[in-house]
Amino acid sequence: MQCIGIHSSTDHPRIRYTVAFLDGHPLCRQCNLRFKLNNTPAENHWNISYGQHRKDPYFDFFIPAQRIFFVPDQEPAANWTMNPYTYGGEIVHSVELKKTPELSGLISDRQFQFDLLETLFFHISRYEEVFAPEEQLGSSGWLNEEVHLLVQKQLEQLPQVDRLVACVLEIITQQKIQQPTTYDLTHDIDFLHRYPDRHAFIRALGGALYRREGLSTIRHHWKNYYALRLGKGKDPYDCFNWLLSEGKNWRRKTLYVMTGGETSYDNHYSIKDPTLLRALDIARERGYELGLHPSYNAAFKSSLFRYELKKMQLLAGKPIHRSRQHWLRFDWHITPSLFARHGIREDASMGYRQRLGFRCGTGFPYQMYDFANEQAFPWQEWPLVCMESAAIHQARALGVDPIDLFQAFFRANRYNTHISINFHNSNFDPALAAGRQLADFYRSFILPLGK
């Protein structure tokens, strides 16, 4: 492997963390590259000076130090912006305090034009969320996504961190970086049955009438409910036989199951339900791992989280180390400590509820940052990038077809990132506006990604 040395007058934990992130980034590893901080220059193929004005002969490149996000003792910065820079036909973006008047090149005379390390740290540490003012926190417990910097600048659709890493590697090595995107497939089981009882059927009819969904939707509910009652049909949510992929080329596959709760958003099924047990058997046969889908309040209550995890482990017959929060509920001062306390090694909650996109700037798994202890958390985050319910919400807000939105997103992200995909079994119901269309798209486009 070839080594890239970054040399700084300080080795603060936030700098060490960011260099370690670069060192472990899959694009670096696929190119047989390593990053090291403050090692002996002679050990490296390239040396980069960070924050030092003196251009010593052994420095191949220079990165200016912004000294905003790497200074823990000062008041957290809040009024930042993103400036565009170009390289090789690509546009990447900084995170800075001042707006630049015009587009400029990423590098000039061997010097990068902004603090690459602080920009990376801002995104992957979720700095803006950890230090968000309380009045901007939403019902999920964290920063309302519409005020995220990436969303405000309409840049969340592309992996800003991964794109920046690729450009930096191209500048250093003078080689084109274009690795095909990888994928993993996940499912959250929020509901098992569309018609668990007669009351649910009546509510479905009432909802269709209230929303003026038309006679065809009412006929659909009537036909399917009575076919189910007569044993001549299946519940629309029971689609696990084709939902769960048999594909071997997914990076991995995970099924997240809810085991309890204390609100009206939870407890929609029993973990002893035969439909669930059959779904788990199919999942195991097809190479899925199991994870916990903690209930609405479990992100904030250690005892509730522990109780649900214990039930999940009894159901699975083995320890469970993966989780994704229900409704993506998350409190930065509580939830991360629950993972470490209860043996969760991988979380998959860092995604958007109302849009497709890269909340962390990257689609690749990595360890997030623990600001309280100034070190990496012991668990790994697998960012949630593509969720069908988020796409449906975004398409409705934009007035576009959700399938067109999906296809444009995948076309734009064919290289140099990873996309974690999440589909719920309950969103393929033909009674839903996009249910049948979504099922066709899932079968014809999503499932082939794993073959």
Side-chain angles (χ1 to χ4, degrees):
M1 279 194 169
Q2 295 180 313
C3 190
I4 302 168
I6 295 180
H7 304 276
S8 171
S9 58
T10 176
D11 65 346
H12 188 274
R14 297 184 187 183
I15 299 177
R16 290 201 303 269
Y17 166 80
T18 307
V19 174
F21 170 82
L22 279 169
D23 184 52
H25 196 284
L27 294 182
C28 296
R29 292 308 177 92
Q30 289 166 5
C31 296
N32 290 316
L33 295 172
R34 297 293 307 271
F35 277 87
K36 292 187 178 181
L37 178 65
N38 290 335
N39 67 332
T40 304
E43 298 176 4
N44 305 318
H45 291 81
W46 298 275
N47 288 285
I48 302 176
S49 170
Y50 175 59
Q52 301 180 48
H53 300 293
R54 183 168 54 89
K55 295 187 176 182
D56 291 335
Y58 59 75
F59 287 148
D60 301 287
F61 301 97
F62 305 88
I63 300 174
Q66 186 172 224
R67 296 185 176 90
I68 297 176
F69 309 122
F70 284 164
V71 184
D73 297 328
Q74 70 182 21
E75 188 73 16
N79 297 315
W80 44 73
T81 188
M82 298 185 75
N83 291 312
Y85 295 84
T86 64
Y87 176 77
E90 298 288 338
I91 297 180
V92 295
H93 294 82
S94 66
V95 179
E96 302 178 80
L97 289 183
K98 294 182 179 180
K99 185 70 177 176
T100 57
E102 59 186 21
L103 184 68
S104 59
L106 175 58
I107 191 164
S108 176
D109 189 26
R110 298 187 298 140
Q111 178 164 321
F112 291 96
Q113 298 302 291
F114 64 90
D115 191 334
L116 307 174
L117 300 186
E118 281 207 340
T119 290
L120 294 175
F121 180 78
F122 173 86
H123 291 301
I124 63 177
S125 70
R126 304 313 303 134
Y127 183 97
E128 66 176 328
E129 299 195 61
V130 174
F131 296 108
E134 188 172 348
E135 61 269 19
Q136 292 186 349
L137 302 183
S139 60
S140 290
W142 53 10
L143 183 65
N144 284 319
E145 61 187 63
E146 63 269 15
V147 299
H148 286 199
L149 184 61
L150 285 171
V151 174
Q152 288 183 329
K153 301 299 182 181
Q154 298 182 343
L155 294 171
E156 80 283 358
Q157 296 282 299
L158 298 173
Q160 299 300 321
V161 165
D162 299 333
R163 288 166 62 85
L164 182 55
V165 170
C167 282
V168 170
L169 295 180
E170 288 188 7
I171 288 171
I172 293 173
T173 65
Q174 291 297 293
Q175 295 179 359
K176 182 66 176 176
I177 308 297
Q178 195 175 68
Q179 299 291 334
T181 290
T182 53
Y183 305 93
D184 73 272
L185 183 62
T186 70
H187 308 287
D188 302 343
I189 303 181
D190 295 342
F191 301 89
L192 268 180
H193 305 286
R194 181 66 180 91
Y195 310 112
D197 50 42
R198 184 181 180 87
H199 297 294
F201 168 62
I202 295 173
R203 286 195 300 272
L205 289 180
L209 288 169
Y210 176 77
R211 293 186 292 271
R212 299 181 180 179
E213 294 176 349
L215 190 59
S216 62
T217 300
I218 294 174
R219 285 198 188 109
H220 166 85
H221 287 304
W222 192 279
K223 175 183 176 182
N224 281 277
Y225 175 69
Y226 279 98
L228 181 65
R229 288 288 303 271
L230 294 172
K232 296 181 179 180
K234 292 178 65 175
D235 191 281
Y237 291 1
D238 185 4
C239 57
F240 297 103
N241 194 50
W242 58 263
L243 175 76
L244 300 177
S245 173
E246 297 181 276
K248 305 294 185 182
N249 290 329
W250 300 103
R251 184 166 177 183
R252 69 178 196 174
K253 298 178 289 188
T254 310
L255 184 67
Y256 294 98
V257 178
M258 189 177 293
T259 61
E262 58 183 20
T263 76
S264 60
Y265 301 113
D266 314 307
N267 286 323
H268 296 299
Y269 56 87
S270 165
I271 61 172
K272 297 180 181 180
D273 191 300
T275 300
L276 176 63
L277 298 179
R278 179 168 49 81
L280 296 184
D281 286 341
I282 296 172
R284 293 187 187 98
E285 290 172 5
R286 297 181 182 179
Y288 275 77
E289 293 292 332
L290 300 180
L292 175 67
H293 198 36
S295 65
Y296 191 77
N297 284 337
F300 313 117
K301 294 184 177 182
S302 180
S303 59
L304 187 59
F305 191 102
R306 180 176 62 251
Y307 172 73
E308 293 176 13
L309 180 61
K310 184 177 180 180
K311 287 180 66 178
M312 184 66 212
Q313 292 178 152
L314 288 172
L315 178 64
K318 63 179 182 179
I320 295 295
H321 302 294
R322 298 178 180 178
S323 75
R324 172 182 288 136
Q325 301 305 121
H326 187 39
W327 280 47
L328 304 185
R329 298 256 286 172
F330 204 98
D331 185 312
W332 283 101
H333 305 292
I334 300 173
T335 312
S337 64
L338 297 184
F339 299 155
R341 189 180 311 155
H342 300 302
I344 297 298
R345 298 174 188 165
E346 297 176 5
D347 174 64
S349 304
M350 292 293 150
Y352 293 118
R353 284 179 53 199
Q354 298 181 348
R355 54 184 48 83
L356 303 176
F358 298 85
R359 187 180 192 126
C360 303
T362 178
F364 292 111
Y366 70 99
Q367 287 178 271
M368 304 198 79
Y369 196 71
D370 179 356
F371 282 92
N373 297 297
E374 294 291 352
Q375 63 185 16
F377 281 115
W379 46 271
Q380 192 177 51
E381 180 64 33
W382 283 69
L384 173 58
V385 174
C386 176
M387 181 164 64
E388 98 283 25
S389 56
I392 292 169
H393 188 284
Q394 184 177 13
R396 187 182 300 121
L398 295 175
V400 300
D401 188 292
I403 306 305
D404 292 341
L405 190 70
F406 269 123
Q407 291 175 335
F409 183 82
F410 280 98
R411 281 197 304 269
N413 292 289
R414 291 176 296 168
Y415 301 104
N416 295 339
T417 193
H418 176 80
I419 296 178
S420 182
I421 302 168
N422 188 45
F423 274 75
H424 298 75
N425 62 300
S426 51
N427 273 331
F428 298 111
D429 183 358
L432 298 175
R436 196 180 301 276
Q437 184 185 19
L438 196 65
D440 291 341
F441 172 74
Y442 180 80
R443 286 167 153 157
S444 64
F445 183 91
I446 297 296
L447 289 180
L449 292 175
K451 292 183 178 178

